[in-house]
């Protein structure tokens, strides 16, 4: 960790930077030091941290004024990263992932015993974790250097999601160590969160309506060819 990232994290000073080729390494240093950062995704700006660091995750919840009992997502640079984290998508979410990822789709994965993440949520049937593979060149470039990131929308709990780094800074202030400005995001609507549900005719339950409408998700499941080919 160089002196600049130490200053950002240890002295609690926020730094706003326009995204450039140095950004992935800077973000990696801030995250490794237990810091918080705000980055653009393919939906809205998100606040991120090390998903294996309990203290950093606590800071994220505090910054958002969000109860620690609420769930947060993990951003990945590709679906294949799930294997290293001992995460598995149950049917039919595995087929939906083939059609909708990368993109604004957040399926709920099942968590295995060797998963190193500190973000999973305990459900009656075991631990679960929402995952995201953003369809954003900037976000994917960052994730390829940092590895998985715990993430939530970059706003105070209960407030609207934000589309610019300036809006994020107004919401979260100096509770965040690094803000990366990648320009406005495509909109203010977050990803669609879906879990498997054996009691549903299509085998799913939409937990949060987002960019991808529930009708499209269910239509994909009714068209086995489209889902199988990842269209």
């Amino acid at each position: 960790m160089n002196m600049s990232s130490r200053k950002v994290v240890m002295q609690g000073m926020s730094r706003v930077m326009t995204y450039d080729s140095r950004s992935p390494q800077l973000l990696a240093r801030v995250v490794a030091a237990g810091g918080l950062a705000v980055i653009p995704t393919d939906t809205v700006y998100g606040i991120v941290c090390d998903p294996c660091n309990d203290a950093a995750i606590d800071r994220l919840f505090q910054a958002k004024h969000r109860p620690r009992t609420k769930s947060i997502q993990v951003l990945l640079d590709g679906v294949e990263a799930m294997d290293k984290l001992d995460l598995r998508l149950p049917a039919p979410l595995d087929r939906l992932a083939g059609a909708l990822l990368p993109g604004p789709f957040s399926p709920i994965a099942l968590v295995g015993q060797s998963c190193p993440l500190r973000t999973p949520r305990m459900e009656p049937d075991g631990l679960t974790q929402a995952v995201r593979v953003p369809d954003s060149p900037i976000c994917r470039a960052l994730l390829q250097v940092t590895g998985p990131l715990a993430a939530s929308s970059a706003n105070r709990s209960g407030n609207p999601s934000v589309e610019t780094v300036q809006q994020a800074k107004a919401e979260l202030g100096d509770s965040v160590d690094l803000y990366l400005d990648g320009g406005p995001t495509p909109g203010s609507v977050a990803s669609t969160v879906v879990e498997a549900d054996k009691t549903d005719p299509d085998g799913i339950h939409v937990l949060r309506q987002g960019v991808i409408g529930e009708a499209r998700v269910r239509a994909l499941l009714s068209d086995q060819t489209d889902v199988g080919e990842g269209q």
Side-chain angles (χ1 to χ4, degrees), residues 2 5 8 16 20 23 25 30 34 37 39 45 55 62-64 104 134 149 153 158 166 191 194 200 231:
N2 67 9
S5 61
V8 168
V16 181
D20 62 23
S23 299
Q25 290 295 339
V30 170
I39 65 174
Y45 270 81
Q62 291 165 7
K64 284 180 59 73
L149 294 173
S153 55
Q166 291 79 16
S191 62
V194 182
D200 180 82
Q231 298 297 313

Side-chain angles (χ1 to χ4, degrees), residues 180-221:
L180 290 179
D181 188 354
T185 59
S188 60
V189 182
S191 62
T192 300
V193 182
V194 182
E195 67 178 354
D197 183 353
K198 294 180 180 179
T199 67
D200 180 82
D202 294 321
I204 63 166
H205 175 218
V206 177
L207 293 171
R208 182 178 74 190
Q209 297 280 352
V211 173
I212 303 171
E214 181 171 352
R216 182 185 173 200
V217 175
R218 293 187 180 278
L220 283 168
L221 288 172

Side-chain angles (χ1 to χ4, degrees), residues 16-83:
V16 181
M17 292 187 60
T18 300
Y19 178 85
D20 62 23
S21 61
R22 301 168 296 172
S23 299
Q25 290 295 339
L26 176 58
L27 175 62
R29 290 195 293 271
V30 170
V31 169
L36 302 181
V38 163
I39 65 174
T41 74
D42 56 344
T43 55
V44 298
Y45 270 81
I47 180 174
V48 299
C49 71
D50 181 352
C52 301
N53 183 329
D54 275 320
I57 296 166
D58 284 340
R59 282 192 63 199
L60 186 152
F61 277 95
Q62 291 165 7
K64 284 180 59 73
H65 295 250
R66 182 178 175 87
R68 187 66 167 83
T69 53
K70 297 289 187 179
S71 59
I72 56 176
Q73 300 180 349
V74 170
L75 303 183
L76 308 172
D77 69 344
V79 177
E80 61 278 2
M82 294 181 61
D83 290 339

Side-chain angles (χ1 to χ4, degrees), residues 168-190:
K169 183 71 161 60
E171 285 281 308
L172 303 174
D174 287 338
S175 63
V176 170
D177 305 298
L178 175 67
Y179 291 86
L180 290 179
D181 188 354
T185 59
S188 60
V189 182

Side-chain angles (χ1 to χ4, degrees), residues 32-182:
L36 302 181
V38 163
I39 65 174
T41 74
D42 56 344
T43 55
V44 298
Y45 270 81
I47 180 174
V48 299
C49 71
D50 181 352
C52 301
N53 183 329
D54 275 320
I57 296 166
D58 284 340
R59 282 192 63 199
L60 186 152
F61 277 95
Q62 291 165 7
K64 284 180 59 73
H65 295 250
R66 182 178 175 87
R68 187 66 167 83
T69 53
K70 297 289 187 179
S71 59
I72 56 176
Q73 300 180 349
V74 170
L75 303 183
L76 308 172
D77 69 344
V79 177
E80 61 278 2
M82 294 181 61
D83 290 339
K84 296 180 181 179
L85 298 174
D86 198 9
L87 299 175
R88 179 179 64 84
L89 291 178
L93 300 183
D94 53 349
R95 292 182 285 123
L96 285 173
L100 298 174
L101 293 180
F105 174 63
S106 298
I108 304 296
L110 304 179
V111 179
Q113 292 184 348
S114 64
C115 178
L117 301 175
R118 305 298 296 173
T119 50
R121 179 183 177 91
M122 178 58 74
E123 300 288 355
D125 294 333
L127 291 172
T128 64
Q129 176 62 62
V131 296
R132 273 269 277 136
V133 182
D135 188 14
S136 159
I138 289 178
C139 195
R140 300 282 290 284
L142 293 169
L143 290 165
Q144 286 168 7
V145 175
T146 64
L149 294 173
S152 186
S153 55
N155 55 277
R156 288 200 176 195
S157 185
N159 288 355
S161 300
V162 300
E163 303 173 52
T164 69
V165 79
Q166 291 79 16
Q167 291 172 342
K169 183 71 161 60
E171 285 281 308
L172 303 174
D174 287 338
S175 63
V176 170
D177 305 298
L178 175 67
Y179 291 86
L180 290 179
D181 188 354

